[in-house]
Amino acid sequence: MKNFGFLRVAAVSPDVVVGDVEQNVLNICQCIDELKQKGVQIAVFPELCITGYTCADLFEQNLLLESAKNALTGILAHTQGIAVFVGLPLRSFSGSLYNVAALLSNAEKILIYPKTFIPNYGEFYEKRWFTPFEASCGCNEQMFDWPVGGLLKINDDSGFTGAVLAAEVCEDAWVPLSPSTVFCLNGANVIVNLSAGNEVIGKASYRKDLILGNSAKNVCAYVYANAGMGESTQDLVFSGHSLIAENGSLLAEKKPFDEKNKFIISDIDIEKINHERIRMETFSQNSSFFKNSQSSNHSLPAKFQEITVKSTDFLKNENLERKIDGHPFVPQVQEKMWARCAEITQMQAWGLAKRIRHTGVEKVVVGISGGLDSTLALLVACRAFDILKKERSNIVGITMPGFGTTGRTYENAKMLVKSCGASLEEISIKDAASGHLKDLSHALDVYDVTYENAQARERTQVLFDWANMHGAILIGTGDLSELALGWCTYNGDQMSNYGVNNSIPKTLVRCLVQYYADFVFKENEKLAETLNDIIDTPVSPELLPPDKDGKIAQKTENTVGSYILHDFFLYNCVRNGFSPEKIYFLAKIAVKQKNLEPFSDETIKNTLRIFYKRFFGQQFKRSCMPDGVKVGTVSLSPRGDWRMPSDSSVELWLKQVENLK
């Protein structure tokens, strides 16, 4: 069985009858049985759900307290293969009353997590009944009939998931230094919160931001289960607003006052969280700092405790309770996509503007092919010149027709430069490339890598030499996807003075050009028309002769595979550190969820093989790539995010690709 580091969790808001323990237990157990059928491994119920949060002075009734305590045994019987958190009032041996989260698992184990911070302001007056829990005053002592919980390792019968879990209760999440932060700095990567937060105007939005922020700063998953229907509305109203977050991202949300759904379910990615902690090494630094400076008031049990849950065979079922983003670089919601494009265009333009100002040049030069990448580079140059209040006529676009140039791209290149208000130069490379190949005794009808690279290097030489002649700098056009695959000519189009597209993947380049067409230059009808035609042009280096109809014969994606897949692989390999096996699994899930184009399993596997071969084999080109601003969380600059030996072996990764079934 394969779990790929996923853990299936649920946040539950059952119907509650205030003071009716028997009915509440029945409702809780019905939910547990339903969740087990759905493969849930960790279920979190609200604060004081066994009795109801709004019992007030009934918490001083012995009958209620004893009934709640005894109810744990009945719930425990339903927990074979699942871990369940429920809330109840519980007396300690000293006679103090605590608001606790009880962990029940495998029909045999109970652990207690008492609430640390007891609110006594506004509409809350819990100190009337409950005692704040201080870890230093009994965390390692027997305070209750069951031990106080600490860090909890989650095991399943397919092997250890890597999950380390801990619990806090409601107000604990709202304080500056929460128990969850302490738990996470000591190793927890999953926090559950049993809550009974009432609703007032604006609180749901604030609560959501708080939970997302806690999961982000603590680099963890956070499961927040809130009280809802059935709590007393004498003075307050409870909406059941529940959330599941992962490292700042919302995985699932039960909207306030949603009566149709008792629970939300999601699969949290423990492997992703653990990778992020490795990548973000300041997290471990903060852990060391905290341990050296912490007060005894936040001490934890010395040993990890363990529980076992039933495994969910994610590989066999090919089903995940979370959305897999098939286009991680490009938001699929249009508003978010345009907002991202607006942000990126600003970063690209300001980065280039700084470089122009620093070098003191009056002119820049861009090689214009009529394709997407060079188009975006020219558009960025236009914005940079606008920022600097310089004339766009000092942007020089040079089109360099070669053996593979088609009429469509040639005309688009010329129209693009003119419509932008830049200056156009045309320098054919056919004679120079032919002469060079002749010097090498290379036949002009042998269309090999030498034939192609001779043209790419000739174009780069023309651009650099023209820049030298006119005191300009050369703006590079190559994008992140090409750098990942090494789909560029070493010391050819790989080189420039400044690469504005270095961290823009191919799928995002297309969206950015569309953004310029639809928003930035929408009033310039001719330019917008040209941009839209460029967007519809097949991706090609145009280094091989056109077909008999004069159309592009050399299409990049026919050789290396879909850039949509390559960008998906790139993000999950570099950003998340996932294995080929997991990336393949996620791609299939994304196709199944219709979040990725309907690629066949064979196509995904074959393209994944190409990705790893090229990604490892072409590192030498990235090791000497030019300067360029980083705009996203994935960058392959050797001076930034990615350092990799150029001669490292790919065999470990390829072996796993070949063994995919």
Side-chain angles (χ1 to χ4, degrees):
M1 287 189 217
K2 276 282 185 182
N3 63 29
F4 292 107
F6 289 112
L7 185 70
R8 184 160 292 176
V9 299
V12 193
S13 293
D15 288 339
V16 169
V17 181
V18 178
D20 191 340
V21 172
E22 186 174 338
Q23 184 60 50
N24 292 338
V25 170
L26 179 62
N27 294 344
I28 290 169
C29 291
Q30 287 176 344
C31 287
I32 293 172
D33 292 342
E34 187 175 350
L35 293 170
K36 288 167 67 175
Q37 293 298 315
K38 295 180 179 295
V40 170
Q41 297 163 294
I42 307 290
V44 186
F45 288 78
E47 179 181 14
L48 296 169
C49 59
I50 290 178
T51 60
Y53 175 78
T54 49
C55 286
D57 284 352
L58 293 179
F59 286 128
E60 296 177 355
Q61 293 289 310
N62 186 62
L63 177 60
L64 184 71
L65 298 180
E66 287 300 316
S67 297
K69 180 179 178 182
N70 294 335
L72 291 180
T73 303
I75 300 172
L76 188 64
H78 287 257
T79 61
Q80 187 65 49
I82 189 173
V84 176
F85 286 87
V86 294
L88 74 155
L90 190 64
R91 279 182 297 208
S92 69
F93 292 149
S94 66
S96 298
L97 186 63
Y98 289 88
N99 179 346
V100 306
L103 167 67
L104 317 176
S105 69
N106 272 330
E108 62 182 19
K109 191 164 191 174
I110 300 178
L111 296 173
I112 302 300
Y113 289 83
K115 188 172 182 177
T116 302
F117 297 97
I118 306 299
N120 222 56
Y121 59 88
E123 62 266 42
F124 301 106
Y125 43 98
E126 288 184 30
K127 281 188 178 179
R128 182 178 175 92
W129 315 291
F130 297 111
T131 302
F133 176 70
E134 294 188 19
S136 60
C137 299
C139 188
N140 296 311
E141 300 172 8
Q142 194 70 30
M143 296 179 64
F144 310 101
D145 286 333
W146 305 282
V148 172
L151 299 174
L152 195 64
K153 289 183 179 179
I154 309 297
N155 301 295
D156 66 26
D157 50 27
S158 72
F160 180 51
T161 64
V164 179
L165 186 146
E168 62 184 4
V169 182
C170 200
E171 185 75 11
D172 291 345
W174 296 67
V175 299
L177 180 57
S178 63
S180 59
T181 297
V182 178
F183 282 127
C184 287
L185 290 175
N186 281 276
N189 49 28
V190 180
I191 298 296
V192 303
N193 186 303
L194 292 71
S195 183
N198 65 306
E199 293 304 328
V200 293
I201 296 171
K203 189 173 182 180
S205 176
Y206 184 88
R207 179 190 295 120
K208 184 175 178 178
D209 289 343
L210 176 71
I211 298 307
L212 292 176
N214 281 352
S215 73
K217 74 170 185 175
N218 290 326
V219 193
C220 69
Y222 202 105
V223 186
Y224 181 90
N226 201 4
M229 182 61 69
E231 290 289 354
S232 172
T233 57
Q234 177 177 327
D235 293 300
L236 307 173
V237 64
F238 297 82
S239 72
H241 184 208
S242 300
L243 304 148
I244 300 175
E246 178 184 281
N247 195 25
S249 298
L250 182 66
L251 299 184
E253 179 179 14
K254 182 178 180 292
K255 297 287 188 179
F257 306 108
D258 177 2
E259 293 186 59
K260 295 181 181 179
N261 300 299
K262 291 284 192 299
F263 49 76
I264 50 174
I265 298 173
S266 187
D267 295 319
I268 56 178
D269 194 338
I270 304 299
E271 182 182 341
K272 183 176 181 179
I273 293 168
N274 290 343
H275 174 266
E276 185 66 9
R277 288 185 175 184
I278 292 173
R279 190 187 73 87
M280 186 179 165
E281 67 357 311
T282 50
F283 182 88
S284 59
Q285 289 179 29
N286 192 234
S287 178
S288 299
F289 172 80
F290 174 78
K291 289 176 181 178
N292 290 333
S293 61
Q294 67 177 322
S295 68
S296 60
N297 198 42
H298 288 98
S299 61
L300 293 171
K303 295 182 179 179
F304 281 81
Q305 295 158 307
E306 296 189 13
I307 60 170
T308 301
V309 295
K310 186 177 181 180
S311 64
T312 298
D313 193 346
F314 296 99
L315 179 61
K316 181 179 178 181
N317 297 331
E318 289 195 356
N319 180 41
L320 282 180
E321 293 289 346
R322 68 183 281 151
K323 176 185 175 183
I324 300 302
D325 191 350
H327 301 266
F329 294 107
V330 182
Q332 296 303 289
V333 177
Q334 199 167 61
E335 284 186 12
K336 292 183 178 179
M337 181 177 73
W338 295 141
R340 178 170 295 185
C341 288
E343 188 177 10
I344 290 171
T345 56
Q346 284 287 83
M347 288 189 280
Q348 286 183 289
W350 278 89
L352 178 58
K354 160 65 178 176
R355 182 54 56 102
I356 293 170
R357 181 179 290 161
H358 171 73
T359 56
V361 298
E362 291 299 321
K363 291 186 176 183
V364 298
V365 58
V366 188
I368 305 296
S369 67
L372 283 169
D373 292 342
S374 63
T375 296
L376 180 58
L378 179 65
L379 297 173
V380 171
C382 289
R383 290 205 72 171
F385 268 60
D386 291 347
I387 290 169
L388 296 170
K389 295 180 172 53
K390 291 179 178 289
E391 293 294 328
R392 288 188 189 173
S393 58
N394 285 324
I395 303 170
V396 181
I398 301 181
T399 181
M400 295 165 284
F403 304 138
T405 303
T406 60
R408 179 181 185 179
T409 56
Y410 174 67
E411 293 300 329
N412 278 341
K414 293 195 298 180
M415 183 58 65
L416 173 68
V417 177
K418 292 176 181 177
S419 300
C420 283
S423 298
L424 176 67
E425 294 274 351
E426 181 176 332
I427 303 174
S428 173
I429 65 162
K430 292 178 182 178
D431 290 344
S434 297
H436 180 60
L437 290 171
K438 184 179 179 180
D439 291 341
L440 295 174
S441 299
H442 188 288
L444 292 179
D445 58 355
V446 177
Y447 305 139
D448 58 6
V449 66
T450 304
Y451 179 89
E452 293 187 42
N453 285 349
Q455 298 172 73
R457 291 194 178 101
E458 179 59 32
R459 284 182 171 133
T460 304
Q461 176 175 271
V462 168
L463 292 169
F464 268 118
D465 290 347
W466 193 98
N468 289 156
M469 285 176 62
H470 297 276
I473 61 171
L474 170 60
I475 299 174
T477 63
D479 63 52
L480 179 65
S481 305
E482 292 180 344
L483 286 166
L485 298 175
W487 194 253
C488 53
T489 299
Y490 188 73
N491 209 30
D493 54 320
Q494 170 220 23
M495 280 290 114
S496 66
N497 294 122
Y498 194 77
V500 293
N501 297 335
N502 283 358
S503 65
I504 311 293
K506 186 72 77 177
T507 51
L508 187 54
V509 169
R510 190 180 301 275
C511 292
L512 287 165
V513 174
Q514 189 72 65
Y515 172 78
Y516 275 101
D518 291 353
F519 294 94
V520 181
F521 296 122
K522 65 179 180 179
E523 304 300 329
N524 188 334
E525 293 183 9
K526 193 60 184 177
L527 176 55
E529 180 184 338
T530 303
L531 292 178
N532 280 309
D533 192 61
I534 290 170
I535 290 167
D536 292 334
T537 303
V539 176
S540 172
E542 290 196 312
L543 297 172
L544 299 181
D547 64 18
K548 59 183 176 146
D549 298 320
K551 296 182 179 179
I552 294 172
Q554 184 187 21
K555 297 178 181 178
T556 300
E557 290 178 298
N558 289 348
T559 302
V560 299
S562 169
Y563 273 118
I564 292 173
L565 280 177
H566 281 300
D567 285 355
F568 181 84
F569 300 156
L570 173 64
Y571 184 89
N572 284 291
C573 171
V574 174
R575 183 65 180 83
N576 293 327
F578 292 158
S579 66
E581 186 178 26
K582 184 168 181 176
I583 294 173
Y584 176 67
F585 169 74
L586 293 177
K588 293 201 296 179
I589 294 293
V591 170
K592 188 174 182 179
Q593 293 177 347
K594 298 184 179 179
N595 296 324
L596 186 63
E597 282 70 359
F599 296 107
S600 68
D601 293 357
E602 182 181 7
T603 297
I604 296 171
K605 178 179 177 179
N606 290 339
T607 309
L608 189 60
R609 181 189 297 112
I610 292 170
F611 171 80
Y612 276 103
K613 281 185 175 181
R614 295 196 66 93
F615 186 76
F616 274 76
Q618 302 292 306
Q619 172 62 27
F620 70 98
K621 295 178 182 177
R622 300 188 291 268
S623 294
C624 55
M625 61 186 280
D627 291 0
V629 67
K630 173 183 175 179
V631 303
T633 58
V634 177
S635 171
L636 296 176
S637 169
R639 298 167 299 279
D641 292 39
W642 191 252
R643 293 162 182 79
M644 172 182 172
S646 299
D647 51 3
S648 56
S649 172
V650 69
E651 291 307 312
L652 183 64
W653 288 263
L654 275 185
K655 185 176 181 180
Q656 191 171 95
V657 173
E658 299 302 336
N659 290 333
L660 292 174
K661 297 180 181 179

